[in-house]
PDB file of all heavy atoms in Angstrom:
ATOM      1  N   PRO P 383     -83.293  25.380  -3.152  1.00  0.00           N
ATOM      2  CA  PRO P 383     -82.130  26.157  -2.911  1.00  0.00           C
ATOM      3  C   PRO P 383     -81.743  26.374  -1.433  1.00  0.00           C
ATOM      4  O   PRO P 383     -82.683  26.528  -0.562  1.00  0.00           O
ATOM      5  CB  PRO P 383     -82.498  27.575  -3.511  1.00  0.00           C
ATOM      6  CG  PRO P 383     -83.613  27.228  -4.398  1.00  0.00           C
ATOM      7  CD  PRO P 383     -84.326  25.903  -3.829  1.00  0.00           C
ATOM      8  N   ILE P 384     -80.490  26.218  -1.094  1.00  0.00           N
ATOM      9  CA  ILE P 384     -80.113  26.323   0.341  1.00  0.00           C
ATOM     10  C   ILE P 384     -80.450  27.621   0.936  1.00  0.00           C
ATOM     11  O   ILE P 384     -80.724  27.728   2.125  1.00  0.00           O
ATOM     12  CB  ILE P 384     -78.594  26.116   0.384  1.00  0.00           C
ATOM     13  CG1 ILE P 384     -78.171  25.914   1.882  1.00  0.00           C
ATOM     14  CG2 ILE P 384     -77.824  27.107  -0.255  1.00  0.00           C
ATOM     15  CD1 ILE P 384     -76.796  25.543   2.019  1.00  0.00           C
ATOM     16  N   ILE P 385     -80.621  28.716   0.019  1.00  0.00           N
ATOM     17  CA  ILE P 385     -81.022  29.960   0.675  1.00  0.00           C
ATOM     18  C   ILE P 385     -82.373  29.977   1.223  1.00  0.00           C
ATOM     19  O   ILE P 385     -82.707  30.860   2.024  1.00  0.00           O
ATOM     20  CB  ILE P 385     -80.869  31.043  -0.464  1.00  0.00           C
ATOM     21  CG1 ILE P 385     -80.754  32.492   0.128  1.00  0.00           C
ATOM     22  CG2 ILE P 385     -81.977  31.013  -1.465  1.00  0.00           C
ATOM     23  CD1 ILE P 385     -80.342  33.515  -0.780  1.00  0.00           C
ATOM     24  N   THR P 386     -83.147  29.087   0.749  1.00  0.00           N
ATOM     25  CA  THR P 386     -84.544  28.994   1.348  1.00  0.00           C
ATOM     26  C   THR P 386     -84.582  27.806   2.449  1.00  0.00           C
ATOM     27  O   THR P 386     -85.468  28.016   3.261  1.00  0.00           O
ATOM     28  CB  THR P 386     -85.644  28.617   0.311  1.00  0.00           C
ATOM     29  OG1 THR P 386     -85.219  27.403  -0.289  1.00  0.00           O
ATOM     30  CG2 THR P 386     -85.614  29.708  -0.687  1.00  0.00           C
ATOM     31  N   THR P 387     -83.882  26.857   2.318  1.00  0.00           N
ATOM     32  CA  THR P 387     -83.944  25.705   3.274  1.00  0.00           C
ATOM     33  C   THR P 387     -83.103  26.095   4.608  1.00  0.00           C
ATOM     34  O   THR P 387     -83.543  25.804   5.693  1.00  0.00           O
ATOM     35  CB  THR P 387     -83.434  24.410   2.783  1.00  0.00           C
ATOM     36  OG1 THR P 387     -82.099  24.676   2.294  1.00  0.00           O
ATOM     37  CG2 THR P 387     -84.438  23.870   1.711  1.00  0.00           C
ATOM     38  N   ALA P 388     -82.074  26.787   4.491  1.00  0.00           N
ATOM     39  CA  ALA P 388     -81.189  27.101   5.599  1.00  0.00           C
ATOM     40  C   ALA P 388     -81.910  27.778   6.682  1.00  0.00           C
ATOM     41  O   ALA P 388     -81.883  27.430   7.932  1.00  0.00           O
ATOM     42  CB  ALA P 388     -79.985  27.809   5.260  1.00  0.00           C
ATOM     43  N   PRO P 389     -82.667  28.965   6.411  1.00  0.00           N
ATOM     44  CA  PRO P 389     -83.366  29.554   7.534  1.00  0.00           C
ATOM     45  C   PRO P 389     -84.381  28.597   8.144  1.00  0.00           C
ATOM     46  O   PRO P 389     -84.655  28.762   9.440  1.00  0.00           O
ATOM     47  CB  PRO P 389     -84.067  30.740   6.771  1.00  0.00           C
ATOM     48  CG  PRO P 389     -83.289  30.974   5.511  1.00  0.00           C
ATOM     49  CD  PRO P 389     -82.787  29.673   5.126  1.00  0.00           C
ATOM     50  N   LEU P 390     -85.092  27.824   7.359  1.00  0.00           N
ATOM     51  CA  LEU P 390     -86.165  27.011   8.010  1.00  0.00           C
ATOM     52  C   LEU P 390     -85.511  25.933   8.943  1.00  0.00           C
ATOM     53  O   LEU P 390     -85.995  25.670  10.036  1.00  0.00           O
ATOM     54  CB  LEU P 390     -86.979  26.353   6.857  1.00  0.00           C
ATOM     55  CG  LEU P 390     -87.747  27.308   5.944  1.00  0.00           C
ATOM     56  CD1 LEU P 390     -88.385  26.427   4.768  1.00  0.00           C
ATOM     57  CD2 LEU P 390     -88.917  27.961   6.702  1.00  0.00           C
ATOM     58  N   ILE P 391     -84.416  25.283   8.442  1.00  0.00           N
ATOM     59  CA  ILE P 391     -83.757  24.275   9.278  1.00  0.00           C
ATOM     60  C   ILE P 391     -83.190  24.932  10.547  1.00  0.00           C
ATOM     61  O   ILE P 391     -83.435  24.329  11.700  1.00  0.00           O
ATOM     62  CB  ILE P 391     -82.654  23.509   8.569  1.00  0.00           C
ATOM     63  CG1 ILE P 391     -83.375  22.778   7.355  1.00  0.00           C
ATOM     64  CG2 ILE P 391     -81.847  22.719   9.390  1.00  0.00           C
ATOM     65  CD1 ILE P 391     -82.329  22.186   6.428  1.00  0.00           C
ATOM     66  N   VAL P 392     -82.547  26.019  10.448  1.00  0.00           N
ATOM     67  CA  VAL P 392     -81.991  26.603  11.638  1.00  0.00           C
ATOM     68  C   VAL P 392     -83.030  27.133  12.593  1.00  0.00           C
ATOM     69  O   VAL P 392     -82.829  27.060  13.807  1.00  0.00           O
ATOM     70  CB  VAL P 392     -81.079  27.745  11.202  1.00  0.00           C
ATOM     71  CG1 VAL P 392     -80.597  28.633  12.415  1.00  0.00           C
ATOM     72  CG2 VAL P 392     -79.776  27.316  10.362  1.00  0.00           C
ATOM     73  N   LEU P 393     -84.210  27.638  12.087  1.00  0.00           N
ATOM     74  CA  LEU P 393     -85.281  28.065  12.868  1.00  0.00           C
ATOM     75  C   LEU P 393     -85.862  26.796  13.779  1.00  0.00           C
ATOM     76  O   LEU P 393     -86.108  26.953  14.887  1.00  0.00           O
ATOM     77  CB  LEU P 393     -86.394  28.612  12.044  1.00  0.00           C
ATOM     78  CG  LEU P 393     -87.553  29.226  12.857  1.00  0.00           C
ATOM     79  CD1 LEU P 393     -87.149  30.411  13.731  1.00  0.00           C
ATOM     80  CD2 LEU P 393     -88.718  29.527  11.978  1.00  0.00           C
ATOM     81  N   ALA P 394     -85.892  25.621  13.086  1.00  0.00           N
ATOM     82  CA  ALA P 394     -86.424  24.490  13.746  1.00  0.00           C
ATOM     83  C   ALA P 394     -85.408  24.035  14.832  1.00  0.00           C
ATOM     84  O   ALA P 394     -85.808  23.542  15.921  1.00  0.00           O
ATOM     85  CB  ALA P 394     -86.666  23.405  12.696  1.00  0.00           C
ATOM     86  N   LEU P 395     -84.054  24.017  14.508  1.00  0.00           N
ATOM     87  CA  LEU P 395     -83.129  23.328  15.353  1.00  0.00           C
ATOM     88  C   LEU P 395     -82.288  24.328  16.211  1.00  0.00           C
ATOM     89  O   LEU P 395     -81.457  23.918  16.965  1.00  0.00           O
ATOM     90  CB  LEU P 395     -82.145  22.496  14.441  1.00  0.00           C
ATOM     91  CG  LEU P 395     -82.755  21.393  13.633  1.00  0.00           C
ATOM     92  CD1 LEU P 395     -81.701  20.572  12.835  1.00  0.00           C
ATOM     93  CD2 LEU P 395     -83.489  20.357  14.655  1.00  0.00           C
ATOM     94  N   GLY P 396     -82.475  25.615  15.996  1.00  0.00           N
ATOM     95  CA  GLY P 396     -81.786  26.571  16.736  1.00  0.00           C
ATOM     96  C   GLY P 396     -80.575  27.200  15.917  1.00  0.00           C
ATOM     97  O   GLY P 396     -80.124  26.747  14.997  1.00  0.00           O
ATOM     98  N   ARG P 397     -80.142  28.401  16.477  1.00  0.00           N
ATOM     99  CA  ARG P 397     -79.017  29.078  15.814  1.00  0.00           C
ATOM    100  C   ARG P 397     -77.693  28.607  16.182  1.00  0.00           C
ATOM    101  O   ARG P 397     -76.596  29.150  15.755  1.00  0.00           O
ATOM    102  CB  ARG P 397     -79.212  30.628  16.090  1.00  0.00           C
ATOM    103  CG  ARG P 397     -80.454  31.296  15.482  1.00  0.00           C
ATOM    104  CD  ARG P 397     -80.633  32.541  16.066  1.00  0.00           C
ATOM    105  NE  ARG P 397     -79.524  33.495  15.693  1.00  0.00           N
ATOM    106  CZ  ARG P 397     -79.546  34.241  14.641  1.00  0.00           C
ATOM    107  NH1 ARG P 397     -80.522  34.253  13.780  1.00  0.00           N
ATOM    108  NH2 ARG P 397     -78.583  35.198  14.333  1.00  0.00           N
ATOM    109  N   GLY P 398     -77.617  27.533  17.005  1.00  0.00           N
ATOM    110  CA  GLY P 398     -76.395  26.989  17.416  1.00  0.00           C
ATOM    111  C   GLY P 398     -75.682  26.044  16.368  1.00  0.00           C
ATOM    112  O   GLY P 398     -76.104  26.076  15.230  1.00  0.00           O
ATOM    113  N   ALA P 399     -74.810  25.278  16.936  1.00  0.00           N
ATOM    114  CA  ALA P 399     -74.142  24.361  16.031  1.00  0.00           C
ATOM    115  C   ALA P 399     -74.900  23.312  15.343  1.00  0.00           C
ATOM    116  O   ALA P 399     -74.779  22.942  14.225  1.00  0.00           O
ATOM    117  CB  ALA P 399     -72.921  23.743  16.719  1.00  0.00           C
ATOM    118  N   THR P 400     -75.975  22.948  16.069  1.00  0.00           N
ATOM    119  CA  THR P 400     -76.848  21.815  15.534  1.00  0.00           C
ATOM    120  C   THR P 400     -77.501  22.143  14.414  1.00  0.00           C
ATOM    121  O   THR P 400     -77.603  21.270  13.385  1.00  0.00           O
ATOM    122  CB  THR P 400     -77.978  21.424  16.682  1.00  0.00           C
ATOM    123  OG1 THR P 400     -77.345  21.141  17.864  1.00  0.00           O
ATOM    124  CG2 THR P 400     -78.746  20.239  16.160  1.00  0.00           C
ATOM    125  N   GLY P 401     -78.052  23.372  14.220  1.00  0.00           N
ATOM    126  CA  GLY P 401     -78.790  23.853  13.062  1.00  0.00           C
ATOM    127  C   GLY P 401     -77.823  23.911  11.833  1.00  0.00           C
ATOM    128  O   GLY P 401     -78.070  23.476  10.717  1.00  0.00           O
ATOM    129  N   THR P 402     -76.595  24.407  12.086  1.00  0.00           N
ATOM    130  CA  THR P 402     -75.616  24.589  10.962  1.00  0.00           C
ATOM    131  C   THR P 402     -75.272  23.275  10.575  1.00  0.00           C
ATOM    132  O   THR P 402     -75.080  22.991   9.299  1.00  0.00           O
ATOM    133  CB  THR P 402     -74.462  25.430  11.303  1.00  0.00           C
ATOM    134  OG1 THR P 402     -74.925  26.693  11.893  1.00  0.00           O
ATOM    135  CG2 THR P 402     -73.481  25.673  10.241  1.00  0.00           C
ATOM    136  N   ILE P 403     -74.997  22.268  11.418  1.00  0.00           N
ATOM    137  CA  ILE P 403     -74.492  20.992  11.034  1.00  0.00           C
ATOM    138  C   ILE P 403     -75.599  20.260  10.195  1.00  0.00           C
ATOM    139  O   ILE P 403     -75.355  19.499   9.330  1.00  0.00           O
ATOM    140  CB  ILE P 403     -74.173  20.185  12.341  1.00  0.00           C
ATOM    141  CG1 ILE P 403     -72.826  20.693  12.894  1.00  0.00           C
ATOM    142  CG2 ILE P 403     -74.034  18.686  12.047  1.00  0.00           C
ATOM    143  CD1 ILE P 403     -72.644  20.178  14.355  1.00  0.00           C
ATOM    144  N   ALA P 404     -76.838  20.540  10.666  1.00  0.00           N
ATOM    145  CA  ALA P 404     -77.946  19.815   9.852  1.00  0.00           C
ATOM    146  C   ALA P 404     -78.026  20.323   8.522  1.00  0.00           C
ATOM    147  O   ALA P 404     -78.349  19.551   7.543  1.00  0.00           O
ATOM    148  CB  ALA P 404     -79.275  20.009  10.668  1.00  0.00           C
ATOM    149  N   VAL P 405     -77.857  21.649   8.275  1.00  0.00           N
ATOM    150  CA  VAL P 405     -77.842  22.153   6.911  1.00  0.00           C
ATOM    151  C   VAL P 405     -76.789  21.587   6.109  1.00  0.00           C
ATOM    152  O   VAL P 405     -76.923  21.208   4.891  1.00  0.00           O
ATOM    153  CB  VAL P 405     -77.735  23.675   6.972  1.00  0.00           C
ATOM    154  CG1 VAL P 405     -77.566  24.281   5.544  1.00  0.00           C
ATOM    155  CG2 VAL P 405     -78.950  24.363   7.581  1.00  0.00           C
ATOM    156  N   ILE P 406     -75.551  21.519   6.583  1.00  0.00           N
ATOM    157  CA  ILE P 406     -74.424  20.886   5.926  1.00  0.00           C
ATOM    158  C   ILE P 406     -74.649  19.504   5.506  1.00  0.00           C
ATOM    159  O   ILE P 406     -74.473  19.084   4.368  1.00  0.00           O
ATOM    160  CB  ILE P 406     -73.167  20.975   6.806  1.00  0.00           C
ATOM    161  CG1 ILE P 406     -72.772  22.442   7.061  1.00  0.00           C
ATOM    162  CG2 ILE P 406     -71.986  20.319   5.988  1.00  0.00           C
ATOM    163  CD1 ILE P 406     -71.659  22.559   8.072  1.00  0.00           C
ATOM    164  N   ALA P 407     -75.332  18.708   6.525  1.00  0.00           N
ATOM    165  CA  ALA P 407     -75.636  17.331   6.220  1.00  0.00           C
ATOM    166  C   ALA P 407     -76.631  17.153   5.166  1.00  0.00           C
ATOM    167  O   ALA P 407     -76.479  16.248   4.164  1.00  0.00           O
ATOM    168  CB  ALA P 407     -76.101  16.611   7.518  1.00  0.00           C
TER     169      ALA P 407
END
Side-chain angles (χ1 to χ4, degrees):
I384 189 175
I385 199 169
T386 59
T387 55
L390 298 174
I391 294 175
V392 172
L393 183 66
L395 300 177
R397 295 167 64 90
T400 305
T402 307
I403 289 171
V405 173
I406 300 169

